[in-house]
Amino acid sequence: MPPPTAYRRARRRSRRQLLIVGSCALLVVALLVGGVARIGRQSSPYDASVNRSFAAQGAIVVQQSNATGATLRLLMRSMQNRDRRTLQAQLDIVTAQADREATAAESLATPVTPGGVQGAFATVFAERDQAARAISSAYEGLLGLHPLPVAGAPETGTEVVAAPTVLSSAQATDRIAAAGTILARADSRYGSLRRVLPGLAGHASLPASRWITAGAVWQPGPIATQVQLVSSSPSLQMTHRLVLSVVKVTPRRCRLRLVRPPRGSRSCHPPQTCSCRWCSPTLALSMSPMHRCNSS
């Protein structure tokens, strides 16, 4: 057993070592905390600027999306009262607008701030675009509609329009109901990110946005009723139209070539020109119509 004096000295050395180690650990922790706090103070103005800029540009996209959603809701309520060409034009408008809004939202996905909502914002509009396309293709398949030519595009006469996938009433109902589920999820996601954004740096905000204002309308039962009304609407029934686009004549048309008479030769009437080629007598003439059948 060591003497009492040596034992006390060993205990004092152990305490000093513990104090030194503890002091070093506290110093390291203090340096880390101070560094993190300093970085946070320096990045906060940048994050606030990014969030405010995102909210300002995002608000424009949201307002456009609200208008597109209102157009879709009106179209869903009164679709059976429209004619085929008007319905197709309005479906094309909705899908084109939803696509532009999804592209604009995707461009705002970067830069992302800590806890930012930019990625969720882009997802919301991508889902709305997906749902709009699904609804449009469901009614096109149900009614046999074709997307209209783009305004201003050159007409070559050789365009081949792809036939839509034919859908039964039950298949169209299922697709539209699935699209409604996607829209409800997008609305919920947007509501969540809209509540989160004011709590982030910059305290920015976004306007409200919902594409589904009455959830019961998008249930399978009401959708099946709407599909039945649309499929039985007299103004939306398919009609066929035969168009003669080209007529081929055999033999080909003969053209007279008029040239100046050679110098010194007998002049013609009028004296400046002379007929030098003649068409042979035509004993038989045939016509071959090049037809195209349009369904509308």
Side-chain angles (χ1 to χ4, degrees), residues 52-245:
R52 292 192 188 107
S53 176
F54 160 75
Q57 298 177 71
I60 299 174
V61 181
V62 171
Q63 292 170 356
Q64 295 171 347
S65 181
N66 288 345
T68 304
T71 301
L72 178 61
R73 290 192 297 271
L74 177 61
L75 186 61
M76 293 291 290
R77 290 195 302 268
S78 58
M79 191 174 294
Q80 67 274 11
N81 300 326
R82 303 171 190 270
D83 61 77
R84 292 174 63 85
R85 189 172 184 84
T86 301
L87 174 58
Q88 182 65 76
Q90 291 176 338
L91 288 173
D92 291 348
I93 290 173
V94 169
T95 54
Q97 289 177 343
D99 178 70
R100 286 195 297 268
E101 291 150 13
T103 301
E106 180 65 27
S107 68
L108 300 179
T110 54
V112 179
T113 57
V117 296
Q118 289 86 348
F121 185 83
T123 301
V124 167
F125 290 87
E127 289 178 335
R128 288 178 174 177
D129 178 37
Q130 177 188 353
R133 291 177 182 275
I135 293 169
S136 179
S137 64
Y139 282 110
E140 288 173 354
L142 178 68
L143 300 172
L145 299 173
H146 298 269
L148 297 176
V150 179
E155 295 184 3
T156 62
T158 60
E159 295 86 354
V160 178
V161 180
T165 303
V166 178
L167 299 177
S168 65
S169 296
Q171 290 173 321
T173 299
D174 292 341
R175 292 196 180 191
I176 297 169
T181 301
I182 295 174
L183 289 178
R185 183 172 67 237
D187 287 349
S188 177
R189 191 191 305 274
Y190 181 81
S192 298
L193 70 89
R194 184 170 176 260
R195 290 189 294 270
V196 169
L197 185 59
L200 302 178
H203 307 291
S205 61
L206 288 168
S209 180
R210 293 186 68 86
W211 273 33
I212 294 183
T213 56
V217 176
W218 292 88
Q219 297 302 312
I223 290 176
T225 302
Q226 176 68 14
V227 167
Q228 183 61 33
L229 290 174
V230 170
S231 60
S232 61
S233 172
S235 62
L236 292 174
Q237 298 306 306
M238 183 181 296
T239 59
H240 298 281
R241 185 164 51 100
L242 185 64
V243 179
L244 293 178
S245 57

Side-chain angles (χ1 to χ4, degrees), residues 259-294:
V259 298
R260 291 180 178 275
R263 178 176 296 181
S265 63
R266 186 178 59 182
S267 63
C268 299
H269 299 285
Q272 289 80 14
T273 60
C274 181
S275 176
C276 62
R277 180 178 177 185
W278 300 89
C279 292
S280 59
T282 301
L283 302 179
L285 182 67
S286 64
M287 300 178 64
S288 302
M290 312 295 291
H291 64 275
R292 180 179 62 206
C293 184
N294 291 341

